[in-house]
Amino acid sequence: MESFKHLFHLPDEITYLNCAYMAPLLQSVEEAGIEAVKKRRNPLAFSADDFFSDTESIRSEFGRLINAPSSRVVLVPSVSYGMANVARNVQCSRGENIILAAEQFPSNYYPWERLAKEHGLELRQISPDPKAENREASWNERLLDAIDTNTCLVAVSHTHWADGTLFRLQDLRARTRDVGALLVVDGTQSVGALPFDVSVIQPDALVCAGYKWLMGPYALGLAYYGPYFDNGTPVEENWINRKNSSDFKGLVNYQSEYETGAIRFEVGEHSNFNLVPMLLKALRQVNEFTPQYIQSYTGQLIESTIADLRDSGFRIAAAGQRGNHLFGIRMRQNTDHEQLRKTLDNEKVIVSWRGDSLRISPNVYNTQADLEKLTTILTEAAKMGVL
């Protein structure tokens, strides 16, 4: 399978295995941003259509990526913004509960913490069984077992941001439907690199930051809102989301109706003339790669690495219980994290530490040599007693 490193500006001396932190910009995305800034020099370069055309194209591209109608896709500046729209419209009663996976990213925790405090809800954070031989399976089972008739909402990611644990969204959807609860998914660490089909999973909401696996710029992401939110109240009221907003002359004729679909939840100034062209270019490229290809390519890259590391005593989840694009390497309790961190830094191998997990997240710009370099460093550290 083919590496696409030539499409990026990554220095040859750097081994970048950290897409879960931030994706490097594609050359084409960088060029789109530069051209957008140049165009912004002159206000006369923009027509009324420019406030709408590229954002509509983005909705179509993201809809294609997740197999959802573009009318249900909106631009958001962040995951926290997208989740705030959800939290504002959830109907929960005192004494009910919200289910979360433990230690998930804060933007998918704080909205539910506030909602629980304001409405007298129980916030349940579900951890894996620390004694289980199969940690990932136990985590999924515990999540399913925690859902009961008092559950009003389950908020999880598709893959856990720290170690890549795959959560069984279809099983969670079936269980939440049985008890009448919502399923809200943070797709930041999966969508773009791991297939996600809205028609199969049927989440009530899906929110994604754009600067990781969607390969876009920072401060612009995407959300999908299902039928539950069709008559909801957005966190802000802005002109561009109302009926007939494309008629600039008639904007003083205030409209009580929103545009159709989920558009009411889209962030104000969503036309963002600098970032929108970059995200559009990125989404088109991701759709050209396809998540299926990215999973296959990264799976091929990591296969021998994972086998070698397991032989050296490292703990890594089995295939099918984590993504190929993101996995955690768990260390022994006596690991000298600081020494290992220095070694990786000195060798210019860029990864992330998340809790007790060394997080590895390759993408299409990586090569077999990158993974071999990581393997050599970790296996040598194990031999020398650093681990």
Side-chain angles (χ1 to χ4, degrees):
M1 300 180 80
E2 180 184 3
S3 165
F4 288 95
K5 187 174 182 178
H6 62 282
L7 300 181
F8 298 82
H9 282 305
L10 282 170
D12 288 337
E13 67 272 15
I14 297 294
T15 300
Y16 193 75
L17 295 166
N18 209 14
C19 193
Y21 168 71
M22 184 183 296
L25 285 182
L26 287 145
Q27 295 175 28
S28 59
V29 173
E30 177 185 334
E31 291 163 4
I34 292 170
E35 289 305 311
V37 172
K38 288 180 178 179
K39 182 178 179 180
R40 185 64 184 84
R41 294 170 178 166
N42 179 12
L44 297 180
F46 294 88
S47 68
D49 286 345
D50 289 322
F51 284 78
F52 303 92
S53 56
D54 277 359
T55 51
E56 185 55 42
S57 295
I58 282 177
R59 294 186 205 105
S60 295
E61 289 292 336
F62 191 67
R64 175 185 166 197
L65 185 65
I66 63 171
N67 192 25
S70 61
S71 61
R72 295 207 169 276
V73 173
V74 301
L75 282 79
V76 294
S78 62
V79 170
S80 58
Y81 185 100
M83 293 301 181
N85 274 320
V86 175
R88 179 159 187 172
N89 291 280
V90 172
Q91 301 298 314
C92 289
S93 302
R94 181 172 294 276
E96 292 185 325
N97 63 70
I98 295 172
I99 305 295
L100 310 178
E103 298 183 349
Q104 58 190 28
F105 195 77
S107 294
N108 199 18
Y109 168 80
Y110 290 128
W112 320 123
E113 180 188 50
R114 171 175 287 187
L115 189 67
K117 288 179 179 178
E118 290 178 349
H119 294 277
L121 309 174
E122 179 189 358
L123 194 64
R124 298 179 180 175
Q125 298 184 68
I126 310 303
S127 301
D129 182 350
K131 298 179 180 179
E133 184 174 336
N134 191 323
R135 180 179 183 277
E136 293 71 29
S138 78
W139 206 347
N140 275 283
E141 290 305 319
R142 283 188 164 197
L143 277 168
L144 288 165
D145 290 344
I147 300 169
D148 58 31
T149 54
N150 288 322
T151 301
C152 64
L153 180 143
V154 175
V156 295
S157 55
H158 190 186
T159 56
H160 197 278
W161 73 295
D163 64 6
T165 296
L166 274 175
F167 292 116
R168 300 193 328 241
L169 297 184
Q170 286 178 256
D171 292 344
L172 289 170
R173 172 74 286 181
R175 180 68 178 134
T176 53
R177 186 169 284 117
D178 286 345
V179 300
L182 298 183
L183 177 64
V184 178
V185 179
D186 178 359
T188 298
Q189 294 290 13
S190 57
V191 174
L194 185 69
F196 189 104
D197 190 328
V198 162
S199 71
V200 173
I201 297 169
Q202 299 181 2
D204 293 291
L206 167 71
V207 187
C208 306
Y211 66 98
K212 298 179 188 285
W213 303 99
L214 296 179
M215 298 188 180
Y218 194 73
L220 198 58
L222 290 149
Y224 159 90
Y225 295 106
Y228 179 91
F229 299 96
D230 279 354
N231 297 307
T233 302
V235 296
E236 64 170 330
E237 302 293 347
N238 63 76
W239 69 273
I240 205 167
N241 295 350
R242 299 284 177 151
K243 284 278 190 184
N244 303 319
S245 56
S246 59
D247 178 13
F248 284 16
K249 183 179 178 181
L251 289 178
V252 293
N253 300 319
Y254 304 129
Q255 299 290 326
S256 60
E257 290 185 67
Y258 297 99
E259 288 286 358
T260 56
I263 195 71
R264 67 182 65 202
F265 297 112
E266 195 155 71
V267 65
E269 299 188 10
H270 67 230
S271 311
N272 195 315
F273 298 116
N274 293 338
L275 300 185
V276 160
M278 298 174 71
L279 183 57
L280 177 56
K281 182 68 74 170
L283 286 171
R284 284 173 171 163
Q285 183 61 73
V286 170
N287 271 325
E288 187 174 328
F289 289 145
T290 76
Q292 290 83 356
Y293 179 87
I294 294 172
Q295 279 301 293
S296 295
Y297 181 75
T298 53
Q300 175 182 285
L301 284 184
I302 68 175
E303 184 176 7
S304 60
T305 289
I306 288 179
D308 290 343
L309 292 179
R310 282 185 178 144
D311 288 343
S312 295
F314 294 94
R315 196 298 195 177
I316 302 170
Q321 296 184 339
R322 50 148 177 85
N324 292 330
H325 68 294
L326 195 168
F327 64 96
I329 302 173
R330 296 196 176 273
M331 308 292 165
R332 295 193 289 266
Q333 289 186 346
N334 62 344
T335 296
D336 187 340
H337 286 202
E338 189 57 34
Q339 182 57 49
L340 182 56
R341 184 181 290 108
K342 286 179 181 178
T343 301
L344 290 165
D345 287 347
N346 290 339
E347 295 295 328
K348 297 182 180 179
V349 176
I350 312 303
V351 294
S352 284
W353 291 91
R354 294 294 181 264
D356 64 348
S357 178
L358 184 64
R359 188 181 70 186
I360 312 300
S361 49
N363 208 329
V364 293
Y365 44 76
N366 288 115
T367 64
Q368 199 66 59
D370 293 334
L371 275 298
E372 289 171 358
K373 187 174 183 180
L374 174 71
T375 304
T376 299
I377 292 170
L378 293 180
T379 53
E380 287 299 316
K383 291 176 184 177
M384 295 173 63
V386 173
L387 306 178

